[in-house]
Amino acid sequence: KAGVTQTPRYLIKTRGQQVTLSCSPISGHRSVSWYQQTPGQGLQFLFEYFSETQRNKGNFPGRFSGRQFSNSRSEMNVSTLELGDSALYLCASSLGQVLETQYFGPGTRLLVL
Amino acid sequence: QKEVEQNSGPLSVPEGAIASLNCTYSDRGSQSFFWYRQYSGKSPELIMSIYSNGDKEDGRFTAQLNKASQYVSLLIRDSQPSDSATYLCASKAAGNKLTFGGGTRVLVKP
């Protein structure tokens, strides 16, 4: 089975711009979770989508949003970028239950200038 | 207090020795626990998952869970230089949200 794919892998934006990141889960997985990783805060949960519905949400401002399509692919959008949004954005794919493992994609490294 | 706590390290071990990593969690509702390994600049990869009290072994890795003490550990036997990485402990309570510790950096010296 193919693993989790994320595009783009690297991105440079300036403050105030918006960005859209994409994630394709493992075939058959209906849950996609998004995480932000920074040196200062570590890995933090953004949100989870399951069957096209947002099921869980972390403590991030409304500038961070997402959606999931009928083929389980997910996109994450960040509007009005701030310098502090520079991070590695990871998506994780799973079957969606509490005992199921989440498998991570390679990540998108975002640099905001 | 963070929900999942790990010693940041670095934990330095000689090649061939046992590396012992510890993790504590505060949410008593946590049901599943995971150890991920992350090399610098890469994404986390799963090493072990554990759900029940006791030990679980997979090759050179052994995970231990003690829900009464809210404690999870990972032993790496016969440590190799390729084991040098950051090890992330994570838990899940209800739902599918992973809560991560800050990670323990492990250095295996030849």
Side-chain angles (χ1 to χ4, degrees), chain B:
Chain B
Q1 183 190 5
K2 292 189 75 173
E3 295 180 48
V4 178
E5 301 252 18
Q6 296 181 254
N7 189 316
S8 61
L11 175 65
S12 184
V13 296
E15 184 175 356
I18 295 175
S20 178
L21 291 77
N22 303 316
C23 169
T24 58
Y25 62 94
S26 60
D27 186 348
R28 284 200 172 273
S30 297
Q31 299 183 49
S32 53
F33 304 87
F34 305 85
W35 283 99
Y36 288 86
R37 177 175 63 196
Q38 186 174 28
Y39 293 110
S40 180
K42 302 294 186 183
S43 64
E45 56 177 327
L46 180 75
I47 297 175
M48 298 276 288
S49 60
I50 187 165
Y51 317 118
S52 305
N53 281 326
D55 296 358
K56 180 181 178 182
E57 187 175 318
D58 184 358
R60 296 186 296 112
F61 299 97
T62 298
Q64 298 173 317
L65 174 59
N66 184 324
K67 289 186 178 180
S69 300
Q70 296 177 249
Y71 174 90
V72 192
S73 67
L74 180 72
L75 297 177
I76 308 173
R77 289 182 299 281
D78 189 24
S79 295
Q80 301 297 309
S82 59
D83 294 327
S84 297
T86 297
Y87 290 79
L88 297 160
C89 172
S91 68
K92 271 202 256 180
N96 198 27
K97 168 193 165 186
L98 279 170
T99 299
F100 283 90
T104 297
R105 187 168 161 234
V106 173
L107 294 173
V108 181
K109 297 185 175 180

Side-chain angles (χ1 to χ4, degrees), chain A residues 7-40:
Chain A
T7 57
R9 294 293 310 280
Y10 303 93
L11 210 46
I12 300 175
K13 292 286 188 180
T14 56
R15 278 181 299 173
Q17 288 187 308
Q18 74 165 14
V19 66
T20 299
L21 313 181
S22 180
C23 172
S24 291
I26 293 169
S27 177
H29 285 188
R30 294 162 64 191
S31 168
V32 174
S33 298
W34 289 90
Y35 296 84
Q36 180 197 65
Q37 187 173 32
T38 59

